Amino acid sequence: MAGRVLITGASRGIGAAAARLFAREGWDVAINYNSSREAARRLAAELSGLEVRAVPIRADVSDPEQAEGLVREAEFSLGGLDCVVCNAGIALPQQLLTDTKVEQWRRLMSADLDGMFYVLKAAIPGLVRQKRGAIVTVSSMWGLTGGSCEAAYSAAKAGVIGLTKALAKELGPSNIRVNCVAPGVVATDMNGHLTPQDLAALKEETPLGRIGAPEEAAQAVVFLASDRASFITGQVLNVDGGMVI
Ligand code: NAP
């Protein structure tokens, strides 16, 4: 059954692909963005053509007040929420832990982990009142395996998995499911810095022999949000072409 979903970081990449898939399935969508205003507005206009409500909402999720304001505005615009997708995230340049500046560590944690806490803290009371809902978080294969020269990112993404599992236990009795998607290498701006040689090496390491498309990660998000996953909670679904088996 279609419902009302807030997706953080939906202006580009996996979040934007998820917004399109939700809308195609009839969901109303709140499209959160931080800096990509035009992209978010264009996406909202595109989705409105599918006869669903699609509202772009600016908020930096790493700021607790903006995160709370985002949830309130999404609830107001869509008349409530049935699902929250915590997808917004950033990565740092690949570097040794010892070269990572304190400011970089804090910025990464704020965007990728703290932001999830702020958004969910604001959204959960509404879901609990309805006694129904779904939460989908977006981690990474590095949150499962750890990535060399990706310590801050790996730590934040492992935190996302811990948060997902804890919340699945906490919110199950309120009929709220909480699951996580852990993508491998997906062709988005986040990987724009990779050289053709890097990409070739990553493909080589991947059993399916290629990089994923944002829509492929988004399919898993929409599945876990939907009633098709009605008895699934606390799970991490890898969408990585077999990179982590
Ligand atoms: P992307 O193309 O770089 O898009 C990132 C999105 O997050 C943008 O919409 C951006 O919004 C938003 N965002 C970043 N910081 C934000 C903040 N503080 N507040 C609100 N929005 C913020 O990245 P992506 O590849 O789609 O990544 C989406 C998620 O998948 C991330 O959590 C990422 O860690 C995870 N992931 C990606 C890959 C991959 O290979 N691409 C692999 C594993 C996991 P603005 O542009 O409006 O600022």
Side-chain angles (χ1 to χ4, degrees), residues 103-118:
E103 179 279 324
Q104 289 179 307
W105 177 275
R106 296 227 187 287
R107 188 156 48 84
L108 189 289
M109 290 296 162
S110 298
D112 291 22
L113 187 56
D114 299 354
M116 229 175 252
F117 163 59
Y118 302 144

Side-chain angles (χ1 to χ4, degrees), residues 19-168:
R20 287 192 174 91
L21 287 180
F22 273 113
R24 263 189 245 151
E25 295 199 4
W27 289 67
D28 293 327
V29 189
I31 299 165
N32 162 243
Y33 67 97
N34 184 23
S35 54
S36 304
R37 183 163 173 262
E38 271 320 300
R41 289 171 68 147
R42 272 197 309 276
L43 179 60
E46 176 193 324
L47 301 191
S48 299
L50 297 172
E51 297 190 353
V52 297
R53 278 178 293 181
V55 282
I57 306 175
R58 203 204 81 76
D60 176 349
V61 296
S62 67
D63 177 302
E65 284 177 11
Q66 291 187 41
E68 186 178 356
L70 165 66
V71 172
R72 296 287 91 84
E73 200 175 329
E75 288 173 335
F76 179 76
S77 306
L78 303 184
L81 290 172
D82 303 294
C83 178
V84 180
V85 177
C86 292
N87 162 78
I90 58 169
L92 296 177
Q94 291 192 351
Q95 58 192 351
L96 297 172
L97 178 100
T98 43
D99 290 337
T100 304
K101 296 188 173 63
V102 170
E103 179 279 324
Q104 289 179 307
W105 177 275
R106 296 227 187 287
R107 188 156 48 84
L108 189 289
M109 290 296 162
S110 298
D112 291 22
L113 187 56
D114 299 354
M116 229 175 252
F117 163 59
Y118 302 144
V119 167
L120 292 175
K121 184 173 162 64
I124 285 170
L127 299 177
V128 168
R129 270 195 302 276
Q130 305 178 154
K131 278 228 158 242
R132 179 176 50 84
I135 292 167
V136 182
T137 61
V138 179
S139 175
S140 159
M141 64 177 172
W142 298 137
L144 289 159
T145 65
S148 173
C149 296
E150 301 261 15
Y153 187 77
S154 301
K157 293 300 187 179
V160 168
I161 291 171
L163 174 70
T164 305
K165 292 183 176 180
L167 274 182

